[in-house]
Amino acid sequence: MFKFSKEDLVFQKLQVMTQDVRTAVSKLRETYSNVKKGNRDAYVGDMVRIKTIYEHIAMVREEVLSSLYGEAFLPDFKESMVMLSQAIYDTSKAVKDTARALTFRKVSEKCLTMLTEQIDAYLSLVEEASSKLSIMVSQMSSDIGEAIKTGREIQILERSGDEIKDSLLTRLYELESQTDVISILQLKDVILFMDDILDYMEEATMSVEVFYATLKS
């Protein structure tokens, strides 16, 4: 029977984590859609599902860390994999925090109407980046060069997200005189947590670049 190396087993667990992130991001899109429709039962259910996925990612991360610190790995490999698992975990937490900010109270219809096109665009970027994150991690054990290229694509998406974020915040503050302060703060949290999702995905790409550098040295 073919036996996987301990490094391969680490990569497999990291791949499970990224697949969970993709599922959570997809569920976040559904959450936002249900919030726009005012379907409270549906978006509360979405939030519960995202929290469950987040907890599973946390559990798998603990397994990764237990393996990395419990067995003999090259120090550089261990360091880059610890960094990567942390970045993936932080990404999932940002997804959870975005969903929680969206659902903890009824979102202002005025804000939703004015911001929905840009929020949809931002969520599309996040969804594309989450797909590339999963691809990047799957490439690490077989073609690190391709993984680096995929990581660069994620970095481009993150920069595009920054532009949308700045535009969203500007538009949001323009609504200050038309809606309540709590709604402004709520949507600000949503925007900043979405920004965190892409930021942590970008951190994951940096971990891959560290890993690549250790292979070349």
Short mmCIF file of all heavy atoms in Angstrom, two decimals, residues 124-177:
data_model
loop_
_atom_site.label_atom_id
_atom_site.label_comp_id
_atom_site.label_asym_id
_atom_site.label_seq_id
_atom_site.Cartn_x
_atom_site.Cartn_y
_atom_site.Cartn_z
N SER A 124 -17.70 38.81 -4.74
CA SER A 124 -17.26 38.04 -5.90
C SER A 124 -15.74 37.89 -5.89
O SER A 124 -15.20 36.81 -6.19
CB SER A 124 -17.70 38.71 -7.20
OG SER A 124 -19.11 38.66 -7.34
N LEU A 125 -15.05 38.98 -5.55
CA LEU A 125 -13.58 38.91 -5.43
C LEU A 125 -13.16 37.93 -4.34
O LEU A 125 -12.23 37.13 -4.54
CB LEU A 125 -13.02 40.29 -5.08
CG LEU A 125 -12.78 41.31 -6.17
CD1 LEU A 125 -12.16 42.57 -5.57
CD2 LEU A 125 -11.87 40.76 -7.25
N VAL A 126 -13.84 37.99 -3.21
CA VAL A 126 -13.52 37.09 -2.10
C VAL A 126 -13.73 35.63 -2.51
O VAL A 126 -12.91 34.75 -2.20
CB VAL A 126 -14.37 37.44 -0.87
CG1 VAL A 126 -14.21 36.38 0.22
CG2 VAL A 126 -13.98 38.81 -0.31
N GLU A 127 -14.82 35.39 -3.23
CA GLU A 127 -15.11 34.03 -3.67
C GLU A 127 -14.05 33.52 -4.65
O GLU A 127 -13.59 32.38 -4.56
CB GLU A 127 -16.50 33.98 -4.32
CG GLU A 127 -17.11 32.60 -4.33
CD GLU A 127 -18.62 32.64 -4.47
OE1 GLU A 127 -19.14 33.60 -5.07
OE2 GLU A 127 -19.27 31.71 -3.99
N GLU A 128 -13.65 34.37 -5.57
CA GLU A 128 -12.60 33.99 -6.53
C GLU A 128 -11.28 33.73 -5.80
O GLU A 128 -10.57 32.76 -6.11
CB GLU A 128 -12.42 35.08 -7.58
CG GLU A 128 -11.41 34.73 -8.66
CD GLU A 128 -11.28 35.79 -9.73
OE1 GLU A 128 -12.03 36.78 -9.69
OE2 GLU A 128 -10.40 35.62 -10.60
N ALA A 129 -10.94 34.58 -4.86
CA ALA A 129 -9.70 34.42 -4.11
C ALA A 129 -9.72 33.13 -3.28
O ALA A 129 -8.69 32.45 -3.17
CB ALA A 129 -9.47 35.62 -3.20
N SER A 130 -10.86 32.79 -2.71
CA SER A 130 -10.94 31.57 -1.90
C SER A 130 -10.74 30.33 -2.77
O SER A 130 -10.14 29.34 -2.34
CB SER A 130 -12.28 31.49 -1.16
OG SER A 130 -13.36 31.23 -2.04
N SER A 131 -11.24 30.39 -4.00
CA SER A 131 -11.02 29.29 -4.94
C SER A 131 -9.54 29.16 -5.27
O SER A 131 -8.97 28.05 -5.28
CB SER A 131 -11.83 29.53 -6.22
OG SER A 131 -11.57 28.53 -7.18
N LYS A 132 -8.88 30.28 -5.50
CA LYS A 132 -7.45 30.27 -5.82
C LYS A 132 -6.62 29.85 -4.61
O LYS A 132 -5.57 29.21 -4.77
CB LYS A 132 -7.01 31.64 -6.34
CG LYS A 132 -7.59 31.98 -7.71
CD LYS A 132 -7.04 33.27 -8.25
CE LYS A 132 -7.67 33.61 -9.60
NZ LYS A 132 -7.35 32.59 -10.63
N LEU A 133 -7.07 30.19 -3.41
CA LEU A 133 -6.37 29.75 -2.21
C LEU A 133 -6.32 28.23 -2.13
O LEU A 133 -5.27 27.64 -1.84
CB LEU A 133 -7.07 30.32 -0.97
CG LEU A 133 -6.49 29.92 0.39
CD1 LEU A 133 -5.11 30.53 0.61
CD2 LEU A 133 -7.44 30.34 1.52
N SER A 134 -7.44 27.60 -2.41
CA SER A 134 -7.51 26.15 -2.38
C SER A 134 -6.61 25.54 -3.47
O SER A 134 -5.89 24.57 -3.23
CB SER A 134 -8.96 25.69 -2.58
OG SER A 134 -9.07 24.29 -2.44
N ILE A 135 -6.63 26.15 -4.65
CA ILE A 135 -5.77 25.67 -5.74
C ILE A 135 -4.30 25.82 -5.36
O ILE A 135 -3.49 24.91 -5.57
CB ILE A 135 -6.09 26.44 -7.04
CG1 ILE A 135 -7.48 26.09 -7.54
CG2 ILE A 135 -5.04 26.14 -8.12
CD1 ILE A 135 -7.98 26.99 -8.66
N MET A 136 -3.95 26.97 -4.81
CA MET A 136 -2.56 27.24 -4.43
C MET A 136 -2.03 26.19 -3.47
O MET A 136 -0.93 25.65 -3.67
CB MET A 136 -2.45 28.64 -3.81
CG MET A 136 -1.04 29.00 -3.37
SD MET A 136 -0.97 30.62 -2.54
CE MET A 136 -1.76 30.20 -0.96
N VAL A 137 -2.80 25.88 -2.44
CA VAL A 137 -2.35 24.91 -1.45
C VAL A 137 -2.25 23.52 -2.06
O VAL A 137 -1.32 22.76 -1.76
CB VAL A 137 -3.27 24.92 -0.21
CG1 VAL A 137 -2.94 23.76 0.73
CG2 VAL A 137 -3.14 26.24 0.53
N SER A 138 -3.17 23.19 -2.97
CA SER A 138 -3.11 21.87 -3.62
C SER A 138 -1.89 21.75 -4.52
O SER A 138 -1.40 20.64 -4.77
CB SER A 138 -4.39 21.63 -4.43
OG SER A 138 -4.42 22.44 -5.60
N GLN A 139 -1.36 22.88 -5.01
CA GLN A 139 -0.20 22.86 -5.90
C GLN A 139 1.12 22.78 -5.15
O GLN A 139 2.15 22.45 -5.75
CB GLN A 139 -0.20 24.12 -6.77
CG GLN A 139 -1.32 24.18 -7.80
CD GLN A 139 -1.43 25.55 -8.43
OE1 GLN A 139 -1.13 26.57 -7.82
NE2 GLN A 139 -1.89 25.58 -9.69
N MET A 140 1.12 23.07 -3.86
CA MET A 140 2.37 23.21 -3.13
C MET A 140 3.23 21.95 -3.12
O MET A 140 4.45 22.01 -3.24
CB MET A 140 2.11 23.65 -1.69
CG MET A 140 1.65 25.09 -1.56
SD MET A 140 1.36 25.55 0.15
CE MET A 140 3.03 25.50 0.81
N SER A 141 2.60 20.80 -3.02
CA SER A 141 3.37 19.55 -2.93
C SER A 141 3.81 19.03 -4.29
O SER A 141 4.72 18.20 -4.36
CB SER A 141 2.54 18.47 -2.20
OG SER A 141 1.35 18.21 -2.91
N SER A 142 3.19 19.52 -5.36
CA SER A 142 3.50 18.97 -6.69
C SER A 142 4.19 19.97 -7.61
O SER A 142 5.02 19.58 -8.44
CB SER A 142 2.20 18.49 -7.36
OG SER A 142 1.27 19.55 -7.48
N ASP A 143 3.87 21.25 -7.48
CA ASP A 143 4.45 22.26 -8.38
C ASP A 143 4.46 23.61 -7.67
O ASP A 143 3.55 24.42 -7.84
CB ASP A 143 3.64 22.34 -9.68
CG ASP A 143 4.36 23.12 -10.77
OD1 ASP A 143 5.23 23.94 -10.43
OD2 ASP A 143 4.04 22.90 -11.95
N ILE A 144 5.51 23.83 -6.90
CA ILE A 144 5.57 25.04 -6.08
C ILE A 144 5.63 26.29 -6.95
O ILE A 144 5.12 27.35 -6.56
CB ILE A 144 6.79 24.98 -5.11
CG1 ILE A 144 6.76 26.15 -4.12
CG2 ILE A 144 8.08 24.92 -5.87
CD1 ILE A 144 5.58 26.17 -3.20
N GLY A 145 6.19 26.18 -8.15
CA GLY A 145 6.23 27.32 -9.06
C GLY A 145 4.84 27.78 -9.44
O GLY A 145 4.54 28.98 -9.47
N GLU A 146 3.96 26.82 -9.74
CA GLU A 146 2.57 27.15 -10.06
C GLU A 146 1.84 27.71 -8.84
O GLU A 146 0.99 28.59 -8.97
CB GLU A 146 1.84 25.91 -10.59
CG GLU A 146 2.22 25.52 -12.01
CD GLU A 146 1.95 26.63 -13.00
OE1 GLU A 146 0.82 27.17 -13.00
OE2 GLU A 146 2.87 26.98 -13.77
N ALA A 147 2.18 27.19 -7.66
CA ALA A 147 1.57 27.70 -6.43
C ALA A 147 1.93 29.17 -6.23
O ALA A 147 1.07 29.98 -5.83
CB ALA A 147 2.03 26.87 -5.23
N ILE A 148 3.18 29.52 -6.54
CA ILE A 148 3.60 30.92 -6.44
C ILE A 148 2.80 31.79 -7.42
O ILE A 148 2.34 32.88 -7.06
CB ILE A 148 5.11 31.05 -6.72
CG1 ILE A 148 5.92 30.40 -5.59
CG2 ILE A 148 5.51 32.51 -6.89
CD1 ILE A 148 5.82 31.10 -4.25
N LYS A 149 2.61 31.30 -8.63
CA LYS A 149 1.85 32.06 -9.63
C LYS A 149 0.41 32.27 -9.17
O LYS A 149 -0.15 33.37 -9.31
CB LYS A 149 1.85 31.33 -10.98
CG LYS A 149 3.19 31.33 -11.68
CD LYS A 149 3.10 30.56 -13.00
CE LYS A 149 4.45 30.47 -13.68
NZ LYS A 149 4.38 29.67 -14.93
N THR A 150 -0.19 31.22 -8.62
CA THR A 150 -1.56 31.34 -8.12
C THR A 150 -1.61 32.34 -6.96
O THR A 150 -2.55 33.14 -6.84
CB THR A 150 -2.09 29.97 -7.67
OG1 THR A 150 -1.99 29.04 -8.75
CG2 THR A 150 -3.55 30.07 -7.22
N GLY A 151 -0.58 32.30 -6.11
CA GLY A 151 -0.52 33.26 -5.01
C GLY A 151 -0.46 34.70 -5.51
O GLY A 151 -1.08 35.59 -4.92
N ARG A 152 0.26 34.93 -6.60
CA ARG A 152 0.33 36.28 -7.16
C ARG A 152 -1.05 36.74 -7.65
O ARG A 152 -1.40 37.93 -7.56
CB ARG A 152 1.34 36.31 -8.31
CG ARG A 152 2.76 35.93 -7.89
CD ARG A 152 3.54 37.10 -7.32
NE ARG A 152 4.71 36.66 -6.57
CZ ARG A 152 5.86 36.23 -7.10
NH1 ARG A 152 5.98 36.17 -8.40
NH2 ARG A 152 6.86 35.88 -6.32
N GLU A 153 -1.83 35.81 -8.16
CA GLU A 153 -3.19 36.14 -8.60
C GLU A 153 -4.05 36.55 -7.41
O GLU A 153 -4.88 37.46 -7.51
CB GLU A 153 -3.81 34.95 -9.34
CG GLU A 153 -3.13 34.63 -10.66
CD GLU A 153 -3.62 33.33 -11.28
OE1 GLU A 153 -4.55 32.71 -10.69
OE2 GLU A 153 -3.10 32.93 -12.34
N ILE A 154 -3.86 35.88 -6.29
CA ILE A 154 -4.59 36.25 -5.06
C ILE A 154 -4.18 37.66 -4.63
O ILE A 154 -5.01 38.47 -4.21
CB ILE A 154 -4.31 35.23 -3.93
CG1 ILE A 154 -4.91 33.87 -4.29
CG2 ILE A 154 -4.90 35.72 -2.60
CD1 ILE A 154 -4.53 32.75 -3.33
N GLN A 155 -2.91 37.98 -4.73
CA GLN A 155 -2.42 39.29 -4.34
C GLN A 155 -3.03 40.39 -5.22
O GLN A 155 -3.36 41.48 -4.72
CB GLN A 155 -0.89 39.33 -4.43
CG GLN A 155 -0.23 38.47 -3.37
CD GLN A 155 1.25 38.25 -3.63
OE1 GLN A 155 1.86 38.91 -4.47
NE2 GLN A 155 1.86 37.31 -2.90
N ILE A 156 -3.21 40.11 -6.50
CA ILE A 156 -3.85 41.08 -7.40
C ILE A 156 -5.31 41.29 -6.98
O ILE A 156 -5.81 42.43 -6.96
CB ILE A 156 -3.77 40.60 -8.86
CG1 ILE A 156 -2.32 40.66 -9.35
CG2 ILE A 156 -4.67 41.43 -9.76
CD1 ILE A 156 -2.10 39.98 -10.68
N LEU A 157 -5.98 40.20 -6.63
CA LEU A 157 -7.37 40.31 -6.17
C LEU A 157 -7.46 41.13 -4.88
O LEU A 157 -8.38 41.92 -4.70
CB LEU A 157 -7.97 38.92 -5.96
CG LEU A 157 -8.22 38.08 -7.22
CD1 LEU A 157 -8.60 36.65 -6.84
CD2 LEU A 157 -9.31 38.70 -8.08
N GLU A 158 -6.47 40.95 -4.01
CA GLU A 158 -6.46 41.71 -2.76
C GLU A 158 -6.33 43.20 -3.02
O GLU A 158 -7.00 44.02 -2.38
CB GLU A 158 -5.32 41.21 -1.87
CG GLU A 158 -5.37 41.71 -0.42
CD GLU A 158 -4.79 43.09 -0.24
OE1 GLU A 158 -3.91 43.49 -1.05
OE2 GLU A 158 -5.23 43.81 0.67
N ARG A 159 -5.49 43.56 -3.98
CA ARG A 159 -5.34 44.98 -4.32
C ARG A 159 -6.62 45.55 -4.92
O ARG A 159 -7.00 46.69 -4.64
CB ARG A 159 -4.15 45.17 -5.26
CG ARG A 159 -2.80 44.98 -4.57
CD ARG A 159 -1.65 45.48 -5.41
NE ARG A 159 -1.38 44.61 -6.55
CZ ARG A 159 -0.59 43.54 -6.51
NH1 ARG A 159 0.01 43.20 -5.39
NH2 ARG A 159 -0.38 42.83 -7.60
N SER A 160 -7.29 44.75 -5.74
CA SER A 160 -8.58 45.18 -6.30
C SER A 160 -9.60 45.36 -5.18
O SER A 160 -10.41 46.30 -5.20
CB SER A 160 -9.10 44.16 -7.31
OG SER A 160 -8.22 44.04 -8.41
N GLY A 161 -9.54 44.46 -4.20
CA GLY A 161 -10.44 44.57 -3.06
C GLY A 161 -10.21 45.83 -2.26
O GLY A 161 -11.17 46.45 -1.77
N ASP A 162 -8.96 46.25 -2.14
CA ASP A 162 -8.65 47.49 -1.42
C ASP A 162 -9.33 48.69 -2.08
O ASP A 162 -9.83 49.60 -1.40
CB ASP A 162 -7.14 47.72 -1.36
CG ASP A 162 -6.48 46.95 -0.23
OD1 ASP A 162 -7.21 46.49 0.68
OD2 ASP A 162 -5.25 46.81 -0.25
N GLU A 163 -9.34 48.69 -3.40
CA GLU A 163 -9.97 49.80 -4.12
C GLU A 163 -11.48 49.83 -3.87
O GLU A 163 -12.06 50.90 -3.65
CB GLU A 163 -9.68 49.68 -5.62
CG GLU A 163 -8.21 49.86 -5.99
CD GLU A 163 -7.96 49.69 -7.46
OE1 GLU A 163 -8.94 49.57 -8.23
OE2 GLU A 163 -6.78 49.68 -7.86
N ILE A 164 -12.09 48.65 -3.90
CA ILE A 164 -13.54 48.59 -3.64
C ILE A 164 -13.83 48.98 -2.20
O ILE A 164 -14.79 49.70 -1.92
CB ILE A 164 -14.09 47.18 -3.94
CG1 ILE A 164 -13.91 46.82 -5.41
CG2 ILE A 164 -15.58 47.10 -3.56
CD1 ILE A 164 -14.34 45.41 -5.76
N LYS A 165 -12.97 48.53 -1.27
CA LYS A 165 -13.16 48.86 0.15
C LYS A 165 -13.16 50.37 0.35
O LYS A 165 -14.03 50.93 1.03
CB LYS A 165 -12.06 48.23 0.99
CG LYS A 165 -12.12 48.60 2.47
CD LYS A 165 -10.80 48.35 3.17
CE LYS A 165 -9.74 49.34 2.70
NZ LYS A 165 -8.44 49.17 3.42
N ASP A 166 -12.16 51.05 -0.23
CA ASP A 166 -12.07 52.50 -0.07
C ASP A 166 -13.30 53.19 -0.64
O ASP A 166 -13.84 54.14 -0.04
CB ASP A 166 -10.81 53.03 -0.76
CG ASP A 166 -9.54 52.58 -0.05
OD1 ASP A 166 -9.62 52.17 1.12
OD2 ASP A 166 -8.46 52.62 -0.69
N SER A 167 -13.77 52.71 -1.78
CA SER A 167 -14.97 53.28 -2.40
C SER A 167 -16.20 53.03 -1.54
O SER A 167 -17.06 53.92 -1.38
CB SER A 167 -15.16 52.68 -3.80
OG SER A 167 -16.34 53.14 -4.39
N LEU A 168 -16.29 51.82 -0.97
CA LEU A 168 -17.43 51.49 -0.10
C LEU A 168 -17.47 52.38 1.13
O LEU A 168 -18.53 52.87 1.52
CB LEU A 168 -17.33 50.02 0.32
CG LEU A 168 -18.00 48.98 -0.56
CD1 LEU A 168 -17.56 47.57 -0.16
CD2 LEU A 168 -19.52 49.09 -0.50
N LEU A 169 -16.31 52.58 1.75
CA LEU A 169 -16.27 53.40 2.96
C LEU A 169 -16.64 54.85 2.65
O LEU A 169 -17.38 55.49 3.41
CB LEU A 169 -14.88 53.33 3.60
CG LEU A 169 -14.53 52.00 4.27
CD1 LEU A 169 -13.07 51.99 4.71
CD2 LEU A 169 -15.45 51.72 5.46
N THR A 170 -16.15 55.35 1.53
CA THR A 170 -16.50 56.72 1.13
C THR A 170 -18.00 56.85 0.93
O THR A 170 -18.64 57.81 1.41
CB THR A 170 -15.77 57.10 -0.18
OG1 THR A 170 -14.36 57.04 0.04
CG2 THR A 170 -16.15 58.50 -0.63
N ARG A 171 -18.59 55.88 0.23
CA ARG A 171 -20.04 55.90 -0.03
C ARG A 171 -20.82 55.77 1.27
O ARG A 171 -21.85 56.44 1.46
CB ARG A 171 -20.38 54.73 -0.97
CG ARG A 171 -21.78 54.81 -1.58
CD ARG A 171 -21.81 55.84 -2.69
NE ARG A 171 -23.11 55.92 -3.29
CZ ARG A 171 -23.53 55.13 -4.29
NH1 ARG A 171 -22.72 54.20 -4.78
NH2 ARG A 171 -24.73 55.29 -4.82
N LEU A 172 -20.33 54.93 2.16
CA LEU A 172 -21.01 54.73 3.44
C LEU A 172 -21.04 56.01 4.25
O LEU A 172 -22.09 56.39 4.80
CB LEU A 172 -20.31 53.62 4.23
CG LEU A 172 -20.88 53.30 5.62
CD1 LEU A 172 -22.31 52.77 5.51
CD2 LEU A 172 -19.99 52.28 6.34
N TYR A 173 -19.93 56.70 4.33
CA TYR A 173 -19.88 57.93 5.12
C TYR A 173 -20.75 59.03 4.51
O TYR A 173 -21.22 59.92 5.22
CB TYR A 173 -18.44 58.41 5.27
CG TYR A 173 -17.56 57.47 6.06
CD1 TYR A 173 -16.23 57.29 5.74
CD2 TYR A 173 -18.08 56.74 7.13
CE1 TYR A 173 -15.42 56.42 6.45
CE2 TYR A 173 -17.28 55.87 7.85
CZ TYR A 173 -15.95 55.70 7.51
OH TYR A 173 -15.16 54.84 8.23
N GLU A 174 -20.99 58.96 3.22
CA GLU A 174 -21.87 59.93 2.57
C GLU A 174 -23.32 59.73 3.01
O GLU A 174 -24.16 60.64 2.88
CB GLU A 174 -21.79 59.79 1.05
CG GLU A 174 -20.46 60.29 0.47
CD GLU A 174 -20.33 59.98 -1.01
OE1 GLU A 174 -21.19 59.24 -1.55
OE2 GLU A 174 -19.35 60.43 -1.62
N LEU A 175 -23.63 58.55 3.56
CA LEU A 175 -24.99 58.25 4.02
C LEU A 175 -25.22 58.65 5.47
O LEU A 175 -26.29 58.41 6.03
CB LEU A 175 -25.27 56.75 3.86
CG LEU A 175 -25.25 56.17 2.45
CD1 LEU A 175 -25.39 54.66 2.49
CD2 LEU A 175 -26.36 56.79 1.61
N GLU A 176 -24.20 59.23 6.09
CA GLU A 176 -24.25 59.52 7.53
C GLU A 176 -25.46 60.36 7.93
O GLU A 176 -26.05 60.15 9.00
CB GLU A 176 -22.96 60.23 7.96
CG GLU A 176 -22.63 60.05 9.41
CD GLU A 176 -21.20 60.46 9.73
OE1 GLU A 176 -20.46 60.83 8.80
OE2 GLU A 176 -20.85 60.41 10.91
N SER A 177 -25.84 61.30 7.06
CA SER A 177 -26.97 62.17 7.40
C SER A 177 -28.31 61.54 7.06
O SER A 177 -29.36 62.09 7.38
CB SER A 177 -26.83 63.51 6.65
OG SER A 177 -26.88 63.29 5.25
#
